[in-house]
Coordinates of all heavy atoms in Angstrom, one line a residue:
M1351 N 0.2 -12.7 20.7 CA -0.3 -12.3 19.4 C -0.5 -13.5 18.5 O 0.2 -14.5 18.6 CB 0.7 -11.5 18.7 CG 0.4 -11.1 17.3 SD 1.7 -10.0 16.5 CE 1.5 -8.5 17.4
R1352 N -1.5 -13.5 17.7 CA -1.9 -14.6 16.9 C -0.7 -14.8 15.7 O -0.2 -13.8 15.3 CB -3.2 -14.4 16.1 CG -4.4 -14.5 17.0 CD -5.6 -14.1 16.2 NE -5.8 -14.9 15.0 CZ -6.8 -15.8 14.6 NH1 -7.6 -16.0 15.6 NH2 -6.8 -16.3 13.5
L1353 N -0.5 -16.0 15.3 CA 0.5 -16.3 14.4 C 0.2 -15.6 13.0 O 1.1 -15.0 12.5 CB 0.5 -17.8 14.1 CG 1.4 -18.3 12.9 CD1 2.8 -18.0 13.2 CD2 1.2 -19.8 12.8
D1354 N -1.0 -15.7 12.5 CA -1.4 -15.0 11.3 C -1.1 -13.6 11.3 O -0.6 -12.9 10.3 CB -2.8 -15.4 10.7 CG -3.8 -15.0 11.8 OD1 -3.6 -14.7 12.9 OD2 -5.1 -15.1 11.3
K1355 N -1.4 -12.9 12.4 CA -1.2 -11.5 12.5 C 0.3 -11.1 12.6 O 0.8 -10.1 11.9 CB -1.9 -11.0 13.8 CG -1.9 -9.5 13.9 CD -2.8 -8.9 15.0 CE -2.8 -7.4 14.9 NZ -3.6 -6.9 16.0
F1356 N 1.0 -11.9 13.3 CA 2.5 -11.7 13.3 C 3.1 -11.9 12.0 O 4.0 -11.0 11.6 CB 3.2 -12.7 14.2 CG 4.7 -12.6 14.2 CD1 5.3 -11.5 15.0 CD2 5.5 -13.4 13.5 CE1 6.7 -11.4 14.9 CE2 6.8 -13.3 13.5 CZ 7.5 -12.3 14.1
L1357 N 2.7 -12.8 11.2 CA 3.3 -13.0 9.8 C 3.0 -11.8 8.9 O 3.8 -11.4 8.1 CB 2.7 -14.3 9.2 CG 3.3 -15.6 9.8 CD1 2.5 -16.8 9.3 CD2 4.7 -15.8 9.7
K1358 N 1.8 -11.2 9.1 CA 1.5 -10.1 8.3 C 2.3 -8.8 8.7 O 2.9 -8.1 7.9 CB 0.0 -9.8 8.4 CG -0.5 -8.5 7.7 CD -1.9 -8.2 7.9 CE -2.3 -6.9 7.2 NZ -1.7 -5.7 7.8
I1359 N 2.2 -8.6 10.0 CA 3.0 -7.4 10.6 C 4.5 -7.4 10.3 O 5.1 -6.4 10.0 CB 2.6 -7.2 12.1 CG1 1.2 -6.8 12.3 CG2 3.6 -6.2 12.8 CD1 0.7 -6.7 13.7
S1360 N 5.1 -8.7 10.4 CA 6.5 -8.8 10.2 C 6.8 -8.8 8.7 O 8.0 -8.8 8.3 CB 7.0 -10.0 10.8 OG 6.5 -11.2 10.2
R1361 N 5.8 -8.9 7.9 CA 5.9 -8.9 6.5 C 6.6 -10.2 5.9 O 7.1 -10.2 4.8 CB 6.5 -7.6 5.9 CG 5.6 -6.5 6.1 CD 6.3 -5.1 5.8 NE 5.4 -4.0 5.8 CZ 5.0 -3.4 6.9 NH1 5.3 -3.9 8.1 NH2 4.2 -2.3 6.9
L1362 N 6.5 -11.3 6.7 CA 7.0 -12.6 6.2 C 6.0 -13.1 5.1 O 6.4 -13.8 4.2 CB 7.2 -13.6 7.3 CG 8.4 -13.4 8.2 CD1 8.2 -14.2 9.5 CD2 9.7 -13.8 7.5
I1363 N 4.7 -12.8 5.4 CA 3.7 -13.1 4.4 C 2.9 -11.9 4.2 O 2.5 -11.2 5.3 CB 2.8 -14.3 4.8 CG1 3.7 -15.6 5.0 CG2 1.6 -14.5 3.9 CD1 2.9 -16.8 5.4
K1364 N 2.6 -11.5 3.1 CA 2.0 -10.2 2.7 C 0.6 -9.9 3.3 O 0.3 -8.9 3.8 CB 1.9 -9.8 1.3 CG 3.3 -9.8 0.7 CD 3.5 -8.7 -0.2 CE 4.8 -8.6 -0.9 NZ 5.9 -8.4 -0.1
R1365 N -0.3 -11.0 3.2 CA -1.7 -10.8 3.7 C -2.0 -11.8 4.7 O -1.6 -12.9 4.7 CB -2.7 -11.0 2.5 CG -2.5 -9.8 1.4 CD -3.5 -9.9 0.3 NE -3.8 -11.3 -0.1 CZ -3.2 -11.8 -1.1 NH1 -2.2 -11.3 -1.6 NH2 -3.5 -13.0 -1.5
R1366 N -2.9 -11.3 5.7 CA -3.2 -12.2 6.7 C -4.1 -13.4 6.4 O -3.9 -14.6 6.9 CB -4.1 -11.4 7.8 CG -4.3 -12.1 9.1 CD -4.7 -11.1 10.2 NE -5.1 -11.8 11.4 CZ -5.6 -11.2 12.4 NH1 -5.7 -9.8 12.5 NH2 -5.9 -11.9 13.5
T1367 N -4.9 -13.3 5.3 CA -5.7 -14.4 4.8 C -4.8 -15.4 4.1 O -5.0 -16.7 4.3 CB -6.7 -13.9 3.7 OG1 -6.1 -13.2 2.7 CG2 -7.8 -13.2 4.3
L1368 N -3.7 -15.0 3.5 CA -2.7 -15.9 3.0 C -1.9 -16.7 4.1 O -1.7 -17.9 3.9 CB -1.7 -15.2 2.0 CG -0.7 -16.0 1.3 CD1 -1.3 -17.0 0.4 CD2 0.2 -15.1 0.5
A1369 N -1.6 -15.9 5.1 CA -1.0 -16.5 6.3 C -1.8 -17.6 6.8 O -1.4 -18.7 7.3 CB -0.6 -15.5 7.3
K1370 N -3.1 -17.3 6.9 CA -4.1 -18.3 7.5 C -4.1 -19.6 6.5 O -4.1 -20.8 7.1 CB -5.5 -17.7 7.5 CG -6.5 -18.5 8.3 CD -7.8 -17.7 8.4 CE -8.7 -18.6 9.1 NZ -10.1 -18.1 9.0
E1371 N -4.1 -19.4 5.3 CA -4.2 -20.5 4.3 C -2.9 -21.4 4.5 O -3.0 -22.6 4.4 CB -4.3 -20.0 2.8 CG -5.7 -19.5 2.5 CD -5.7 -18.9 1.1 OE1 -4.8 -19.2 0.3 OE2 -6.6 -18.1 0.9
V1372 N -1.8 -20.7 4.5 CA -0.5 -21.4 4.7 C -0.5 -22.3 6.0 O -0.1 -23.5 6.0 CB 0.7 -20.5 4.6 CG1 2.0 -21.2 5.0 CG2 0.9 -19.8 3.3
A1373 N -1.0 -21.7 7.0 CA -1.1 -22.5 8.3 C -2.0 -23.6 8.2 O -1.8 -24.7 8.6 CB -1.5 -21.5 9.4
E1374 N -3.1 -23.4 7.5 CA -4.2 -24.5 7.4 C -3.6 -25.7 6.5 O -4.0 -26.8 6.6 CB -5.5 -24.0 6.7 CG -6.3 -23.2 7.7 CD -7.5 -22.5 7.0 OE1 -7.7 -22.6 5.8 OE2 -8.3 -21.8 7.8
Q1375 N -2.7 -25.4 5.6 CA -2.1 -26.4 4.8 C -0.9 -27.2 5.5 O -0.3 -28.1 5.0 CB -1.5 -25.8 3.5 CG -2.5 -25.3 2.5 CD -2.0 -24.4 1.5 OE1 -0.8 -24.1 1.4 NE2 -2.8 -23.8 0.6
G1376 N -0.7 -26.8 6.8 CA 0.3 -27.5 7.6 C 1.7 -27.1 7.2 O 2.6 -27.9 7.4
R1377 N 1.9 -25.9 6.6 CA 3.2 -25.5 6.1 C 4.0 -24.6 7.2 O 5.1 -24.2 6.9 CB 3.1 -24.7 4.8 CG 2.7 -25.7 3.7 CD 2.2 -25.1 2.5 NE 3.1 -23.9 2.0 CZ 2.7 -23.1 1.1 NH1 1.6 -23.2 0.5 NH2 3.5 -22.1 0.8
I1378 N 3.4 -24.4 8.3 CA 4.1 -23.7 9.4 C 4.2 -24.5 10.7 O 3.2 -25.2 11.1 CB 3.3 -22.4 9.8 CG1 3.1 -21.5 8.5 CG2 4.0 -21.7 10.9 CD1 2.2 -20.3 8.7
Q1379 N 5.4 -24.5 11.2 CA 5.7 -25.1 12.5 C 6.1 -24.1 13.6 O 6.9 -23.2 13.2 CB 6.7 -26.3 12.4 CG 6.2 -27.5 11.6 CD 7.2 -28.6 11.7 OE1 8.4 -28.4 11.9 NE2 6.7 -29.8 11.6
L1380 N 5.7 -24.3 14.7 CA 6.0 -23.4 15.9 C 6.7 -24.3 16.9 O 6.2 -25.2 17.5 CB 4.8 -22.8 16.5 CG 5.1 -21.9 17.7 CD1 6.0 -20.7 17.4 CD2 3.7 -21.5 18.3
N1381 N 8.1 -24.1 17.1 CA 8.9 -24.8 18.0 C 8.8 -26.3 17.7 O 8.7 -27.1 18.7 CB 8.5 -24.5 19.5 CG 8.7 -23.1 19.8 OD1 9.6 -22.4 19.4 ND2 7.8 -22.5 20.6
G1382 N 8.7 -26.7 16.4 CA 8.7 -28.1 16.1 C 7.4 -28.7 16.0 O 7.2 -29.9 15.6
Q1383 N 6.3 -28.0 16.3 CA 4.9 -28.5 16.3 C 4.1 -27.9 15.2 O 4.3 -26.7 15.0 CB 4.2 -28.3 17.6 CG 4.9 -29.0 18.9 CD 4.9 -30.5 18.8 OE1 4.0 -31.0 18.4 NE2 6.0 -31.0 19.1
P1384 N 3.2 -28.5 14.5 CA 2.4 -27.9 13.6 C 1.6 -26.7 14.3 O 1.1 -26.8 15.4 CB 1.4 -29.0 13.0 CG 2.1 -30.3 13.5 CD 2.9 -29.9 14.7
A1385 N 1.4 -25.6 13.5 CA 0.8 -24.4 14.1 C -0.4 -24.0 13.3 O -0.4 -24.1 12.1 CB 1.8 -23.3 14.2
K1386 N -1.5 -23.6 14.0 CA -2.7 -23.1 13.4 C -2.5 -21.5 13.3 O -1.7 -20.9 13.9 CB -3.9 -23.3 14.1 CG -4.2 -24.8 14.2 CD -5.5 -25.0 15.1 CE -5.9 -26.5 15.2 NZ -6.9 -26.7 16.2
A1387 N -3.3 -20.9 12.4 CA -3.4 -19.4 12.3 C -3.6 -18.7 13.7 O -3.1 -17.7 13.9 CB -4.4 -18.9 11.3
S1388 N -4.4 -19.3 14.5 CA -4.9 -18.8 15.7 C -3.8 -19.0 16.9 O -4.0 -18.6 18.0 CB -6.2 -19.2 16.2 OG -6.2 -20.7 16.4
T1389 N -2.8 -19.8 16.7 CA -1.8 -20.1 17.6 C -1.2 -18.9 18.3 O -0.8 -18.0 17.5 CB -0.7 -21.1 17.1 OG1 -1.3 -22.2 16.5 CG2 0.4 -21.5 18.1
K1390 N -1.1 -18.8 19.6 CA -0.5 -17.6 20.2 C 1.0 -17.7 20.2 O 1.6 -18.8 20.5 CB -1.0 -17.5 21.7 CG -2.4 -17.3 21.8 CD -2.8 -15.9 21.5 CE -4.3 -15.7 21.7 NZ -4.9 -14.9 20.7
L1391 N 1.7 -16.6 19.8 CA 3.2 -16.5 19.7 C 3.7 -15.8 20.9 O 3.0 -14.9 21.5 CB 3.5 -15.8 18.5 CG 3.5 -16.4 17.1 CD1 4.1 -15.4 16.1 CD2 4.4 -17.6 17.1
S1392 N 4.9 -16.1 21.3 CA 5.6 -15.2 22.3 C 7.1 -15.0 21.8 O 7.6 -15.8 21.0 CB 5.5 -15.8 23.6 OG 5.9 -17.2 23.7
A1393 N 7.6 -14.0 22.3 CA 9.0 -13.7 22.0 C 9.9 -14.9 22.3 O 9.8 -15.6 23.3 CB 9.6 -12.4 22.7
G1394 N 10.8 -15.2 21.4 CA 11.7 -16.4 21.7 C 11.3 -17.7 20.9 O 12.0 -18.6 20.8
D1395 N 10.0 -17.6 20.4 CA 9.5 -18.8 19.6 C 10.3 -19.0 18.4 O 10.8 -18.0 17.9 CB 8.0 -18.6 19.4 CG 7.1 -19.0 20.6 OD1 7.6 -19.5 21.6 OD2 6.0 -18.6 20.6
E1396 N 10.3 -20.2 17.8 CA 11.0 -20.4 16.6 C 10.0 -21.0 15.6 O 9.2 -21.9 15.9 CB 12.1 -21.5 16.7 CG 13.0 -21.5 15.6 CD 14.2 -22.3 15.9 OE1 15.3 -21.8 16.3 OE2 14.3 -23.5 15.6
L1397 N 9.8 -20.3 14.4 CA 9.0 -20.6 13.4 C 9.7 -21.2 12.2 O 10.7 -20.6 11.8 CB 8.2 -19.3 12.9 CG 7.1 -18.7 13.6 CD1 6.7 -17.4 13.1 CD2 5.9 -19.7 13.8
T1398 N 9.0 -22.3 11.6 CA 9.6 -22.8 10.4 C 8.4 -22.8 9.3 O 7.4 -23.3 9.6 CB 10.1 -24.3 10.6 OG1 11.1 -24.2 11.6 CG2 10.7 -24.8 9.3
I1399 N 8.7 -22.1 8.3 CA 7.6 -21.8 7.2 C 8.2 -22.4 5.9 O 9.3 -22.2 5.5 CB 7.4 -20.3 7.0 CG1 7.1 -19.7 8.4 CG2 6.2 -20.2 6.1 CD1 7.2 -18.2 8.4
R1400 N 7.3 -23.2 5.3 CA 7.6 -23.8 4.0 C 7.0 -22.9 2.8 O 5.9 -22.8 2.7 CB 7.2 -25.3 3.8 CG 7.7 -25.9 2.5 CD 7.6 -27.4 2.5 NE 6.3 -27.8 2.9 CZ 5.2 -28.0 2.1 NH1 5.4 -27.7 0.8 NH2 4.1 -28.4 2.5
F1401 N 7.9 -22.2 2.0 CA 7.5 -21.5 0.9 C 7.9 -22.2 -0.3 O 9.1 -22.2 -0.7 CB 8.3 -20.1 0.9 CG 7.9 -19.1 2.0 CD1 8.8 -19.0 3.1 CD2 6.7 -18.4 1.9 CE1 8.5 -18.1 4.0 CE2 6.5 -17.5 2.9 CZ 7.3 -17.4 4.0
G1402 N 6.9 -22.9 -1.0 CA 7.4 -23.6 -2.2 C 8.5 -24.5 -2.0 O 8.5 -25.5 -1.5
Q1403 N 9.7 -24.1 -2.6 CA 10.9 -24.9 -2.6 C 11.9 -24.6 -1.6 O 13.0 -25.0 -1.6 CB 11.6 -24.9 -4.0 CG 10.7 -25.4 -5.1 CD 10.3 -26.8 -4.9 OE1 11.1 -27.7 -4.6 NE2 9.0 -27.1 -5.0
K1404 N 11.6 -23.7 -0.6 CA 12.5 -23.4 0.5 C 11.9 -23.4 1.9 O 10.7 -23.1 2.0 CB 13.2 -22.0 0.2 CG 12.4 -20.9 0.6 CD 13.2 -19.7 0.4 CE 12.4 -18.4 0.8 NZ 13.0 -17.1 0.6
L1405 N 12.6 -23.8 2.9 CA 12.3 -23.7 4.2 C 12.9 -22.5 4.9 O 14.2 -22.4 4.8 CB 12.7 -25.0 4.9 CG 11.8 -26.2 5.0 CD1 12.5 -27.4 5.7 CD2 10.5 -25.9 5.6
L1406 N 12.1 -21.7 5.6 CA 12.7 -20.5 6.3 C 12.4 -20.7 7.7 O 11.3 -21.0 8.2 CB 11.9 -19.3 5.8 CG 12.4 -18.0 6.4 CD1 13.9 -17.7 6.1 CD2 11.5 -16.8 6.0
T1407 N 13.5 -20.7 8.6 CA 13.4 -20.8 10.0 C 13.8 -19.4 10.6 O 14.8 -18.9 10.4 CB 14.2 -21.9 10.6 OG1 13.9 -23.1 9.9 CG2 14.1 -22.0 12.1
V1408 N 12.8 -18.8 11.4 CA 13.1 -17.5 12.1 C 12.8 -17.6 13.5 O 12.0 -18.4 14.0 CB 12.2 -16.4 11.4 CG1 12.5 -16.2 10.0 CG2 10.7 -16.7 11.7
K1409 N 13.5 -16.8 14.3 CA 13.2 -16.6 15.7 C 12.5 -15.4 16.0 O 12.9 -14.3 15.5 CB 14.5 -16.7 16.4 CG 14.4 -16.6 17.9 CD 15.7 -16.7 18.7 CE 15.5 -16.6 20.2 NZ 16.6 -16.0 20.9
V1410 N 11.4 -15.4 16.7 CA 10.6 -14.2 17.1 C 11.3 -13.4 18.1 O 11.6 -13.8 19.2 CB 9.2 -14.7 17.6 CG1 8.4 -13.4 17.9 CG2 8.5 -15.5 16.5
N1411 N 11.7 -12.1 17.7 CA 12.3 -11.2 18.7 C 11.5 -10.4 19.5 O 11.6 -10.1 20.6 CB 13.3 -10.3 17.9 CG 14.4 -11.1 17.2 OD1 14.8 -12.1 17.7 ND2 15.0 -10.5 16.2
D1412 N 10.4 -9.9 18.8 CA 9.5 -8.9 19.4 C 8.1 -9.0 18.9 O 7.9 -9.4 17.7 CB 10.0 -7.5 19.1 CG 9.4 -6.4 20.0 OD1 8.7 -6.8 20.9 OD2 9.7 -5.2 19.7
L1413 N 7.1 -8.8 19.6 CA 5.6 -8.7 19.2 C 5.2 -7.4 19.4 O 5.2 -6.8 20.5 CB 4.9 -9.7 20.0 CG 5.3 -11.2 19.9 CD1 4.5 -12.0 20.9 CD2 5.1 -11.7 18.5
R1414 N 4.7 -6.7 18.2 CA 4.2 -5.3 18.3 C 3.0 -5.4 17.4 O 2.8 -6.0 16.4 CB 5.2 -4.3 17.8 CG 6.2 -4.0 18.8 CD 7.1 -2.8 18.4 NE 8.3 -3.3 17.9 CZ 9.1 -2.6 17.1 NH1 8.8 -1.4 16.8 NH2 10.2 -3.1 16.7
E1415 N 1.9 -4.5 17.8 CA 0.7 -4.4 17.1 C 0.9 -3.6 15.7 O 0.3 -4.0 14.7 CB -0.3 -3.6 17.9 CG -0.8 -4.4 19.1 CD -1.6 -5.7 18.7 OE1 -2.4 -5.6 17.8 OE2 -1.3 -6.6 19.3
T1416 N 1.8 -2.7 15.7 CA 2.1 -2.0 14.4 C 3.6 -1.7 14.3 O 4.3 -1.6 15.4 CB 1.4 -0.6 14.4 OG1 1.8 0.2 15.6 CG2 -0.1 -0.7 14.4
V1417 N 4.0 -1.7 13.1 CA 5.5 -1.5 12.9 C 5.6 -0.9 11.5 O 4.9 -1.2 10.6 CB 6.3 -2.8 13.0 CG1 5.9 -3.8 11.9 CG2 7.8 -2.6 13.0
K1418 N 6.6 0.0 11.3 CA 6.9 0.6 10.0 C 7.5 -0.4 9.1 O 8.2 -1.3 9.6 CB 7.8 1.8 10.2 CG 7.2 3.0 10.9 CD 8.1 4.2 10.9 CE 7.5 5.4 11.4 NZ 7.6 5.6 12.9
K1419 N 7.3 -0.2 7.8 CA 7.8 -1.2 6.8 C 9.3 -1.5 7.0 O 9.7 -2.6 6.9 CB 7.5 -0.6 5.5 CG 7.8 -1.7 4.3 CD 7.4 -1.1 3.0 CE 7.7 -2.1 1.9 NZ 7.3 -1.5 0.6
D1420 N 10.1 -0.4 7.2 CA 11.5 -0.6 7.3 C 12.0 -1.1 8.6 O 13.2 -1.6 8.8 CB 12.3 0.7 7.0 CG 11.8 1.9 7.9 OD1 10.7 1.8 8.5 OD2 12.6 2.9 7.9
E1421 N 11.1 -1.2 9.6 CA 11.4 -1.8 10.9 C 10.9 -3.2 11.0 O 11.1 -3.9 12.1 CB 10.9 -0.9 12.0 CG 11.6 0.4 12.1 CD 10.7 1.3 13.2 OE1 9.8 0.9 13.7 OE2 11.2 2.5 13.2
A1422 N 10.2 -3.7 10.1 CA 9.5 -5.0 10.2 C 10.4 -6.2 10.5 O 10.2 -7.1 11.2 CB 8.6 -5.3 9.0
Q1423 N 11.6 -6.1 9.8 CA 12.6 -7.2 10.0 C 13.2 -7.3 11.4 O 13.7 -8.3 11.7 CB 13.8 -7.1 8.9 CG 13.3 -7.6 7.6 CD 14.5 -7.8 6.7 OE1 15.3 -6.7 6.5 NE2 14.7 -8.9 6.1
S1424 N 13.0 -6.2 12.2 CA 13.6 -6.3 13.5 C 12.7 -7.2 14.4 O 13.2 -7.5 15.5 CB 13.6 -4.9 14.1 OG 12.3 -4.4 14.4
L1425 N 11.5 -7.6 14.0 CA 10.7 -8.4 14.8 C 11.1 -9.8 14.8 O 10.7 -10.7 15.6 CB 9.2 -8.4 14.3 CG 8.5 -7.0 14.3 CD1 7.1 -7.1 13.7 CD2 8.4 -6.5 15.7
Y1426 N 12.0 -10.2 13.9 CA 12.5 -11.6 13.8 C 13.9 -11.7 13.3 O 14.5 -10.7 12.8 CB 11.5 -12.5 12.8 CG 11.6 -12.0 11.4 CD1 12.5 -12.5 10.5 CD2 10.7 -11.0 10.9 CE1 12.5 -12.1 9.2 CE2 10.7 -10.6 9.6 CZ 11.6 -11.1 8.8 OH 11.7 -10.7 7.5
T1427 N 14.6 -12.9 13.6 CA 15.9 -13.1 13.0 C 15.8 -14.4 12.2 O 15.3 -15.3 12.7 CB 16.9 -13.3 14.3 OG1 16.8 -12.2 15.2 CG2 18.3 -13.5 13.9
V1428 N 16.4 -14.4 11.1 CA 16.5 -15.6 10.3 C 17.5 -16.5 10.8 O 18.7 -16.2 11.0 CB 16.8 -15.3 8.8 CG1 16.9 -16.5 7.9 CG2 15.7 -14.4 8.2
V1429 N 17.1 -17.7 11.2 CA 18.0 -18.7 11.8 C 18.7 -19.5 10.6 O 19.8 -19.6 10.6 CB 17.2 -19.7 12.7 CG1 18.2 -20.7 13.3 CG2 16.7 -18.9 13.9
K1430 N 17.8 -19.9 9.8 CA 18.4 -20.6 8.5 C 17.4 -20.6 7.4 O 16.2 -20.5 7.6 CB 18.8 -22.0 8.9 CG 17.8 -23.0 9.3 CD 18.3 -24.3 9.6 CE 17.2 -25.2 10.2 NZ 17.7 -26.5 10.6
E1431 N 18.0 -20.7 6.2 CA 17.1 -20.8 5.0 C 17.7 -21.9 4.2 O 18.9 -21.9 3.8 CB 17.2 -19.4 4.3 CG 16.2 -19.2 3.2 CD 16.3 -17.8 2.6 OE1 16.6 -16.9 3.4 OE2 15.9 -17.6 1.5
E1432 N 16.9 -22.9 3.8 CA 17.4 -24.0 3.1 C 16.4 -24.5 2.0 O 15.2 -24.3 2.2 CB 17.7 -25.2 4.1 CG 16.6 -25.6 4.9 CD 16.9 -26.5 6.1 OE1 18.1 -27.1 6.1 OE2 16.2 -26.6 7.0
P1433 N 16.9 -25.1 1.0 CA 16.0 -25.6 -0.1 C 15.2 -26.9 0.5 O 15.8 -27.6 1.3 CB 16.9 -25.9 -1.2 CG 18.3 -26.2 -0.6 CD 18.3 -25.3 0.6
V1434 N 14.0 -27.1 0.0 CA 13.3 -28.3 0.4 C 13.8 -29.5 -0.5 O 13.8 -29.3 -1.7 CB 11.8 -28.1 0.2 CG1 11.0 -29.4 0.4 CG2 11.3 -26.9 1.0
H1435 N 14.1 -30.6 0.0 CA 14.6 -31.7 -0.7 C 13.4 -32.6 -1.1 O 12.6 -33.0 -0.3 CB 15.6 -32.5 0.1 CG 16.8 -31.7 0.5 ND1 17.7 -31.3 -0.4 CD2 17.2 -31.2 1.7 CE1 18.6 -30.6 0.3 NE2 18.4 -30.6 1.5
Q1436 N 13.3 -32.8 -2.4 CA 12.3 -33.7 -3.0 C 12.8 -35.1 -3.0 O 13.9 -35.4 -3.5 CB 11.9 -33.2 -4.4 CG 11.4 -31.7 -4.5 CD 10.0 -31.6 -3.7 OE1 9.2 -32.5 -3.7 NE2 9.8 -30.4 -3.2
D1437 N 11.9 -36.0 -2.6 CA 12.2 -37.4 -2.7 C 11.8 -38.1 -3.9 O 10.8 -37.9 -4.4 CB 11.7 -38.2 -1.4 CG 12.3 -37.7 -0.1 OD1 13.4 -37.2 -0.2 OD2 11.6 -37.8 0.9

């Protein structure tokens, strides 16, 4: 599954176009490497996303084409959430 589609379905980012923009800005890493919106994900991958002043690291548990809103969080596990340190 594409990275941008996973971010939308898992509701980590609300819209697929926004997920694509965030990836193009270099704010998403997949297993420690910069990731594009079209990067293919698989279960067990680790994503790090920079949202403004915080870094969110999640582990991909499952990839599904559709998911109900209340089940979206089951697609990933939050590994850590930390503030971004400004130099």
Side-chain angles (χ1 to χ4, degrees):
M1351 177 181 288
R1352 287 173 53 111
L1353 172 61
D1354 56 351
K1355 187 170 184 181
F1356 175 79
L1357 291 172
K1358 177 189 178 291
I1359 290 172
S1360 66
R1361 292 169 174 79
L1362 283 166
I1363 295 180
K1364 298 228 185 291
R1365 292 187 320 275
R1366 195 164 171 181
T1367 51
L1368 184 59
K1370 191 175 177 195
E1371 286 173 22
V1372 171
E1374 285 171 359
Q1375 292 168 0
R1377 292 168 40 194
I1378 301 176
Q1379 289 191 332
L1380 175 65
N1381 299 325
Q1383 301 294 320
K1386 295 180 183 173
S1388 62
T1389 302
K1390 297 283 182 222
L1391 282 183
S1392 50
D1395 283 344
E1396 194 168 272
L1397 284 173
T1398 303
I1399 309 164
R1400 185 163 51 86
F1401 292 105
Q1403 298 302 311
K1404 78 175 180 185
L1405 270 179
L1406 180 66
T1407 304
V1408 298
K1409 183 176 181 212
V1410 178
N1411 295 332
D1412 194 9
L1413 300 173
R1414 283 190 260 162
E1415 290 298 313
T1416 57
V1417 66
K1418 291 188 173 90
K1419 187 177 183 181
D1420 55 342
E1421 295 172 0
Q1423 279 192 307
S1424 70
L1425 297 180
Y1426 63 91
T1427 304
V1428 175
V1429 177
K1430 64 182 171 183
E1431 194 172 330
E1432 56 191 344
V1434 174
H1435 300 290
Q1436 299 292 332
D1437 294 331

